[in-house]
Structures are given as C-alpha cells and as structure tokens.
Amino acid sequence: GWCRQLFVAATLVAAATSATSGKAASAGEKTRRKVIVHEGIALDTVTYEAAGPRRVFGAGPLVLLHGWPESLVTYDLVYQRLSVEGFQVVGITFPGFGDSDKPPDGSEVYSVHGLVQALRGALRSLEIEKCILGGHSMGSFVAWEFAALYPDSVSVLLAIGSAATAASPHDYNRLEPYVVAIKAFMDVHKHKIPVTFAHNSLVGDLYDKKKVPRAFVKGMVEETRKAPPYVWLALMQDLIRRNDSRLLSRIKAPTLLLNGANDSLFTLNMQKAMRERMTSAAATQIVRIPKSGHSPHWEQPELFVQNVAAFIHAHLHLVTVPLGPGPIMNKRAHGGAEVSSPSFVAITRPPSQSVDGLIGNGYYVVVAFSVAMLIYTLSLWARSLTAGPRRAGARRGRSSVKKTTTPASARTRANERTPIINPTRRRYFLGLLSI
C-alpha cells in the first residue's frame, strides 16, 4: 500500500543523499593561485573546497581578509576547520603583503579605500559575485567598508577584532609607537623589518602566546617581513588617521562582531559603539572568545570556527544553534533590551531562503525520512494493540454460530498459509529497524 511506497521512496532518497554527501566529503582540495586586479597588480589567493556536505546555499564562499601586516597565511589554523564545516573558504593577500605584488611607495592602493578596490578586483577575477566576508583587524576595516559600499555583494559580514575607527586617542597612543619605529628603520636604509620587531608586533597582543604553535608564529614572522617597511608605514598611518564610521549605517548584512575577551587594542566598549552605528544591518551580535587577545583565530581556533559557523548557519537557516562561550549580545533582536547568553541564540531568516536550505540540505532529508518512519511505526504499534481485542471479539462471534466440520485437508492448507509472525507486527519490527 501507500506505506510501503513511502518506505521505498524514502530509502531511495536517503541513499542518494548519502552518495552525494560522500562525494562532497572527498573534497577539501587546496588551490593556490594569483589573480590580476586593477593596474595589473597580482594578488596571492588560496581556495579550500568544502570538505563536508555544503550547508550554505546562495550565500557564496567565505572570503577571509588578513590584518596588518600579515598575509593569507594568518588563517592557516582555521582554513581546514572551516572547510569541514561545509564552507568553501577563500583567502586573499592584499597588495604589498606576503607573496602579492608590491607597488612602489606612494601608491594609492596603500590605504583602506585602496584595499577595498583591490578586493573588488580580486573578487571579479575569482568570479565571486556574492560572498560571506570576514576580516581581522585592518582586514575588518576593509571588510565592513566594502560591505557598506557594495551591500549586494555581501551576504554575511564577520568583523574580527574590529572597531568603528582606529583614530581614537586610545588606539592612537597604542599604534603611534609603531609609526615612530618604522620611520627609524627607514631612516637607516633598512629594506626589511627586523625579526625582533616583527615578532613582537605579532605576539604583543596575544593573551597566551604559548597556546599558538611555535612553527606557526615563526612562519608568520617571515610572512610579515615580506612586506617592505613603507607598506607597514603607509597603512598604519592611514588606519590611525581615518574615520569612516559614518559608513557603518549603510551595512545591511547580518554582522558578527567577534573579538577576544582579552583584546586590549579594540575593547568591548568600542564594539558596542560600532554596533550602535550599524542601524541598517539585518542583525548585529557581539561575541567575545575567552582567553584570547587580538587574534582569537590563533589562540582559540576551535572556538573561533564554532562561533563563525554557528552565526552563519543561524542566519542562513531556520535553526536554533549553540554558540561558544560569550557573552552573546543582540540588542535590537530583543526589543531594545540588551541580552547576554552564555550558550544559545535563536535567529530566523526569510522564508524564501529557508526553502532553498531545506531542499538543498541532505540533513533535512534524513530527518524527514526518520520522522516519516517514526509515524509509520507508531501507526503499526497502534494497530497491533487493537488487533488482540478484534480477534477476541471475532472468536466470541463465531462461538455463537453453529459449528461446522472442517475437513482435515482444508485445515492443513490454512495452517500452511498462516505466517509465523503476524504481518502487522512484522512491519512494526521493520519500521523500528529502519529508524
């Protein structure tokens, strides 16, 4: 009957889903290549294909931007983890840093606005029309300015270790010594930043540098020294002089403000001020990762990935998801009252996007199959409970009728047709086994 047809169809769908998931799980390939942006500048990029079933549909890949004075290598501790979460992850190195081209001193590209235009060119070359955009420190300023200027190109925004501006007295006093030191290096004709200075600039804002693998820190020191001193100087000066916080009101994408709980450079109050200016964003949340400083993706890579994945999935699926240790703060979502929760946040998205996620995600197919089999099994169980009283009533009815003699041969044939296990119970056990 229809129950058997439903069972067969659900089994076939589940098998097809498993086959598709198996193919996706064999991905996770890494591709490193250079792309050409405006004025023939080549930027170093890396792409990690999703190593698990794709969970985000129509949102584009996850594009990550590095901070000052790093390169795409800064996310080496989280690329694979994010890939396993079902994201295609793209890292981009800005002009002047790492293995990207290095235009001469005085180039307009060495400013946040110049990096925004370089990012736009890189996304065009990579044929990325829409993406989940994340940036750390300097990269976060580039990310949120890009999201403000090109809102249709960003589905979700991740601002890691960010603020509305780095031109505040607090940040100026912290960052101005870097400017003085770099100028001193340039005055003595140094063409490369000294190792000690590069090392201290990286680990100085960490909560516990012992948590970060030594080999990774050593590699990052070499990456930062690939940038000429004039690149360090130009972008640091631009950061501590610029104040484009007015653009924050133009951001429309759901935004996660992710920060280390022990970040002394960009504090919680700065993130709250940043959130207050994001009046057009679909949602804004502040998440602080414990026991980490300015670079939570180095010190707490697992918690970093957990929070990033949870926020993205929550805003692109109709689910309630756990986030890592907080606090998690979402003011506008709770009628203006600030709410702090250590573990959970519920977020919904428009129905039009929900349909795509429910159809495209094999996870929901498996859940639907399990629910259907559970209902089917419960119906069989109910039938088995009522079968006994029905048979007893039938026997009482037959006893009131005049008994007739049944030939021995007829009784033998009837016994041969009687199944060992009642058909209803057989289907009941089959349903339990399927679940």
Side-chain angles (χ1 to χ4, degrees), residues 3 22 40 76 101-103 109 175 219 229 284 306 423:
C3 290
D76 273 1
D101 285 354
K102 298 167 179 60
V109 77
L175 300 176
T284 55
Q306 176 186 343

PDB file of all heavy atoms in Angstrom, residues 3 22 40 76 101-103 109 175 219 229 284 306 423:
ATOM      1  N   CYS A   3       1.980   2.926   2.490  1.00  0.00           N
ATOM      2  CA  CYS A   3       3.062   2.898   3.472  1.00  0.00           C
ATOM      3  C   CYS A   3       4.328   2.286   2.890  1.00  0.00           C
ATOM      4  O   CYS A   3       5.444   2.783   3.082  1.00  0.00           O
ATOM      5  CB  CYS A   3       2.631   2.129   4.722  1.00  0.00           C
ATOM      6  SG  CYS A   3       1.381   3.001   5.713  1.00  0.00           S
ATOM      7  N   GLY A  22      28.920  11.684   0.358  1.00  0.00           N
ATOM      8  CA  GLY A  22      30.197  11.002   0.257  1.00  0.00           C
ATOM      9  C   GLY A  22      31.114  11.668  -0.745  1.00  0.00           C
ATOM     10  O   GLY A  22      32.309  11.825  -0.533  1.00  0.00           O
ATOM     11  N   GLY A  40      47.066  45.865 -13.228  1.00  0.00           N
ATOM     12  CA  GLY A  40      47.942  44.718 -13.408  1.00  0.00           C
ATOM     13  C   GLY A  40      48.573  44.172 -12.148  1.00  0.00           C
ATOM     14  O   GLY A  40      49.528  43.377 -12.213  1.00  0.00           O
ATOM     15  N   ASP A  76      45.788  29.974   8.546  1.00  0.00           N
ATOM     16  CA  ASP A  76      46.173  28.572   8.330  1.00  0.00           C
ATOM     17  C   ASP A  76      45.643  27.635   9.403  1.00  0.00           C
ATOM     18  O   ASP A  76      45.458  26.436   9.155  1.00  0.00           O
ATOM     19  CB  ASP A  76      47.700  28.445   8.243  1.00  0.00           C
ATOM     20  CG  ASP A  76      48.216  28.678   6.831  1.00  0.00           C
ATOM     21  OD1 ASP A  76      47.395  28.964   5.936  1.00  0.00           O
ATOM     22  OD2 ASP A  76      49.453  28.588   6.614  1.00  0.00           O
ATOM     23  N   ASP A 101      51.897  41.192  -5.282  1.00  0.00           N
ATOM     24  CA  ASP A 101      52.748  42.238  -5.856  1.00  0.00           C
ATOM     25  C   ASP A 101      52.856  43.422  -4.905  1.00  0.00           C
ATOM     26  O   ASP A 101      51.949  43.684  -4.097  1.00  0.00           O
ATOM     27  CB  ASP A 101      52.175  42.701  -7.196  1.00  0.00           C
ATOM     28  CG  ASP A 101      52.417  41.672  -8.308  1.00  0.00           C
ATOM     29  OD1 ASP A 101      53.118  40.668  -8.039  1.00  0.00           O
ATOM     30  OD2 ASP A 101      51.904  41.881  -9.421  1.00  0.00           O
ATOM     31  N   LYS A 102      53.962  44.148  -5.035  1.00  0.00           N
ATOM     32  CA  LYS A 102      54.239  45.263  -4.137  1.00  0.00           C
ATOM     33  C   LYS A 102      54.456  46.534  -4.951  1.00  0.00           C
ATOM     34  O   LYS A 102      55.588  46.835  -5.351  1.00  0.00           O
ATOM     35  CB  LYS A 102      55.443  44.938  -3.265  1.00  0.00           C
ATOM     36  CG  LYS A 102      55.192  43.711  -2.373  1.00  0.00           C
ATOM     37  CD  LYS A 102      56.453  43.179  -1.743  1.00  0.00           C
ATOM     38  CE  LYS A 102      56.125  41.987  -0.844  1.00  0.00           C
ATOM     39  NZ  LYS A 102      55.491  40.876  -1.592  1.00  0.00           N
ATOM     40  N   PRO A 103      53.378  47.277  -5.190  1.00  0.00           N
ATOM     41  CA  PRO A 103      53.518  48.560  -5.889  1.00  0.00           C
ATOM     42  C   PRO A 103      54.480  49.483  -5.137  1.00  0.00           C
ATOM     43  O   PRO A 103      54.686  49.331  -3.936  1.00  0.00           O
ATOM     44  CB  PRO A 103      52.093  49.127  -5.889  1.00  0.00           C
ATOM     45  CG  PRO A 103      51.220  47.921  -5.743  1.00  0.00           C
ATOM     46  CD  PRO A 103      51.979  46.973  -4.875  1.00  0.00           C
ATOM     47  N   VAL A 109      47.037  52.460  -3.510  1.00  0.00           N
ATOM     48  CA  VAL A 109      46.483  51.206  -3.010  1.00  0.00           C
ATOM     49  C   VAL A 109      46.767  51.022  -1.527  1.00  0.00           C
ATOM     50  O   VAL A 109      46.088  50.250  -0.847  1.00  0.00           O
ATOM     51  CB  VAL A 109      47.041  50.011  -3.825  1.00  0.00           C
ATOM     52  CG1 VAL A 109      48.469  49.673  -3.423  1.00  0.00           C
ATOM     53  CG2 VAL A 109      46.152  48.770  -3.667  1.00  0.00           C
ATOM     54  N   LEU A 175      49.203  52.744  18.802  1.00  0.00           N
ATOM     55  CA  LEU A 175      49.743  52.467  17.471  1.00  0.00           C
ATOM     56  C   LEU A 175      50.799  53.460  16.999  1.00  0.00           C
ATOM     57  O   LEU A 175      51.611  53.136  16.128  1.00  0.00           O
ATOM     58  CB  LEU A 175      48.593  52.428  16.454  1.00  0.00           C
ATOM     59  CG  LEU A 175      47.519  51.371  16.730  1.00  0.00           C
ATOM     60  CD1 LEU A 175      46.389  51.488  15.716  1.00  0.00           C
ATOM     61  CD2 LEU A 175      48.101  49.966  16.697  1.00  0.00           C
ATOM     62  N   GLY A 219      56.551  31.091  11.074  1.00  0.00           N
ATOM     63  CA  GLY A 219      56.154  31.310   9.685  1.00  0.00           C
ATOM     64  C   GLY A 219      55.494  32.662   9.493  1.00  0.00           C
ATOM     65  O   GLY A 219      55.697  33.333   8.472  1.00  0.00           O
ATOM     66  N   PRO A 229      59.092  48.036   4.557  1.00  0.00           N
ATOM     67  CA  PRO A 229      58.751  48.976   5.636  1.00  0.00           C
ATOM     68  C   PRO A 229      57.788  50.070   5.198  1.00  0.00           C
ATOM     69  O   PRO A 229      56.935  50.494   5.997  1.00  0.00           O
ATOM     70  CB  PRO A 229      60.113  49.551   6.037  1.00  0.00           C
ATOM     71  CG  PRO A 229      61.090  48.480   5.697  1.00  0.00           C
ATOM     72  CD  PRO A 229      60.549  47.831   4.462  1.00  0.00           C
ATOM     73  N   THR A 284      22.949  42.334  14.410  1.00  0.00           N
ATOM     74  CA  THR A 284      24.328  42.510  14.870  1.00  0.00           C
ATOM     75  C   THR A 284      24.493  41.772  16.190  1.00  0.00           C
ATOM     76  O   THR A 284      23.614  41.827  17.051  1.00  0.00           O
ATOM     77  CB  THR A 284      24.682  43.997  15.085  1.00  0.00           C
ATOM     78  OG1 THR A 284      23.742  44.575  15.982  1.00  0.00           O
ATOM     79  CG2 THR A 284      24.673  44.756  13.770  1.00  0.00           C
ATOM     80  N   GLN A 306      33.766  27.502  15.653  1.00  0.00           N
ATOM     81  CA  GLN A 306      32.443  27.177  16.193  1.00  0.00           C
ATOM     82  C   GLN A 306      31.514  28.393  16.155  1.00  0.00           C
ATOM     83  O   GLN A 306      30.362  28.295  15.726  1.00  0.00           O
ATOM     84  CB  GLN A 306      32.573  26.672  17.625  1.00  0.00           C
ATOM     85  CG  GLN A 306      31.241  26.389  18.307  1.00  0.00           C
ATOM     86  CD  GLN A 306      31.395  26.027  19.773  1.00  0.00           C
ATOM     87  OE1 GLN A 306      32.485  25.673  20.221  1.00  0.00           O
ATOM     88  NE2 GLN A 306      30.327  26.133  20.531  1.00  0.00           N
ATOM     89  N   PRO A 423       1.563 -10.220  10.226  1.00  0.00           N
ATOM     90  CA  PRO A 423       2.059  -9.212   9.264  1.00  0.00           C
ATOM     91  C   PRO A 423       2.187  -7.833   9.871  1.00  0.00           C
ATOM     92  O   PRO A 423       3.130  -7.110   9.584  1.00  0.00           O
ATOM     93  CB  PRO A 423       1.001  -9.254   8.162  1.00  0.00           C
ATOM     94  CG  PRO A 423       0.376 -10.596   8.266  1.00  0.00           C
ATOM     95  CD  PRO A 423       0.397 -10.945   9.715  1.00  0.00           C
TER      96      PRO A 423
END
